[in-house]
Amino acid sequence: MMTTVATSWKIIRTLEELQGAGVTELADHLDMPKGTVYTHLATLKEQKYVVKRDGKYHLGLHFLNLGEFVKKHSVLFKAGRSEVERLAEETDEYVHLVTEEHGDLIYLHEARGQNAVGKNYFEKKLEKPGYLHSSAYGKAMLAFLPEDRVEEIVTESGLPQRTEKTITSRDALFDELESIREQGYALNDEEEIFGTRAVGAPILDKNETVLGAVSITKPTSRMQGDDFYEAVPNLVTSAANVIEVNIQTMRNEDIGR
């Protein structure tokens, strides 16, 4: 039997999916009694997380406050934001700061350089969690997670194909992750978006625990040869190291208080 909290979150997720809906539409979509749906909507509205406009219920702006609170209290965000913005300004490309939670790719911050491409795509990606296996930053994190955790993520999320170059085989993925561990960074050669390449590096703490990853994305025409295999990896791994030092410094300051 679904709990009250689980029912409310199912309604919230459906409102997100449908971009707003009436009681009847929600009840039909979820196969729930209209009375149950209405009761949950009334509670969510009372708590200011749902609003009603023109006969339909929509997610409220108070979710923004929760998201901002969680992000601003993330040590990874606080330690990495300025470095991500600096790198985007230096390269004129897209730079992302991400982490993993519950097997999902979570975007903490992105910075867009003057020549960056894919604005609409990347802005849309910020709205929902993503897969780990088809991106440079995702593979960089997977490579340094415990193997049983990677197995768990692959089993639960699968390896859906994004382009013809996406890794969709478990064995191929684990071979790639071994190479990433050896070189210290991950490459994405049109595996997520046709026409783009990316380089990602993991962000680790002093115990080698994965905290997140940072990456640079460019059109394939602007990331060829040594740029793809040497110059950009050097930039990304250097940025990851700076963020790691920032995190350790912040934690030491907290201990000293």
Side-chain angles (χ1 to χ4, degrees):
M1 182 176 178
M2 191 176 295
T3 66
T4 299
V5 173
T7 300
S8 289
W9 275 108
K10 197 171 182 70
I11 289 171
I12 288 168
R13 289 300 189 188
T14 305
L15 285 175
E16 177 190 16
E17 177 188 343
L18 299 178
Q19 298 183 39
V23 175
T24 301
E25 185 181 2
L26 276 171
D28 290 344
H29 193 86
L30 294 168
D31 194 22
M32 290 181 185
K34 287 201 295 185
T36 300
V37 172
Y38 177 79
T39 299
H40 283 270
L41 286 171
T43 301
L44 290 166
K45 185 171 179 288
E46 182 182 347
Q47 297 301 316
K48 303 179 181 179
Y49 287 104
V50 163
V51 296
K52 189 176 182 181
R53 295 194 303 269
D54 302 324
K56 288 189 173 185
Y57 291 89
H58 301 266
L59 299 182
L61 295 176
H62 275 65
F63 279 105
L64 290 176
N65 300 129
L66 281 179
E68 284 298 307
F69 174 84
V70 173
K71 183 170 72 172
K72 295 293 174 58
H73 283 75
S74 162
V75 66
L76 179 58
F77 174 79
K78 289 189 285 188
R81 180 180 182 178
S82 61
E83 183 63 14
V84 165
E85 292 175 351
R86 182 200 65 76
L87 193 55
E89 184 176 356
E90 177 184 335
T91 61
D92 284 333
E93 304 289 355
Y94 255 121
V95 181
H96 288 92
L97 179 69
V98 304
T99 190
E100 175 269 329
E101 192 170 78
H102 298 300
D104 293 326
L105 180 69
I106 305 295
Y107 297 87
L108 277 178
H109 190 54
E110 70 170 26
R112 181 173 179 263
Q114 290 186 352
N115 294 326
V117 297
K119 180 176 182 289
N120 291 338
Y121 175 81
F122 285 119
E123 287 184 351
K124 194 70 176 175
K125 282 175 71 73
L126 293 175
E127 297 178 9
K128 290 186 177 182
Y131 292 99
L132 296 168
H133 72 289
S134 56
S135 61
Y137 34 55
K139 290 189 293 183
M141 290 189 291
L142 283 174
F144 290 87
L145 287 173
E147 186 171 331
D148 58 347
R149 177 69 180 128
V150 179
E151 291 275 14
E152 183 181 350
I153 291 171
V154 170
T155 299
E156 184 172 330
S157 301
L159 299 171
Q161 187 167 13
R162 304 299 301 277
T163 74
E164 62 181 17
K165 292 188 175 182
T166 305
I167 295 174
T168 57
S169 156
R170 178 203 169 280
D171 289 343
L173 176 63
F174 275 81
D175 286 345
E176 174 108 346
L177 298 183
E178 184 176 352
S179 297
I180 292 168
R181 280 190 294 273
E182 292 173 359
Q183 63 194 18
Y185 59 87
L187 303 177
N188 169 9
D189 189 5
E190 299 185 286
E191 296 163 49
E192 183 179 22
I193 316 169
F194 178 75
T196 67
R197 282 176 161 175
V199 180
I203 298 167
L204 311 174
D205 68 9
K206 63 180 181 180
N207 298 315
E208 298 293 300
T209 301
V210 181
L211 302 178
V214 61
S215 76
I216 295 175
T217 302
K218 295 186 182 188
T220 54
S221 60
R222 294 208 295 261
M223 188 141 60
Q224 299 282 332
D226 288 345
D227 195 41
F228 187 38
Y229 295 104
E230 186 173 348
V232 175
N234 286 340
L235 286 174
V236 173
T237 54
S238 176
N241 180 244
V242 169
I243 296 170
E244 290 169 347
V245 172
N246 288 344
I247 290 170
Q248 190 58 47
T249 300
M250 292 167 64
R251 287 178 171 174
N252 288 345
E253 289 174 351
D254 288 339
I255 292 172
R257 289 194 180 105

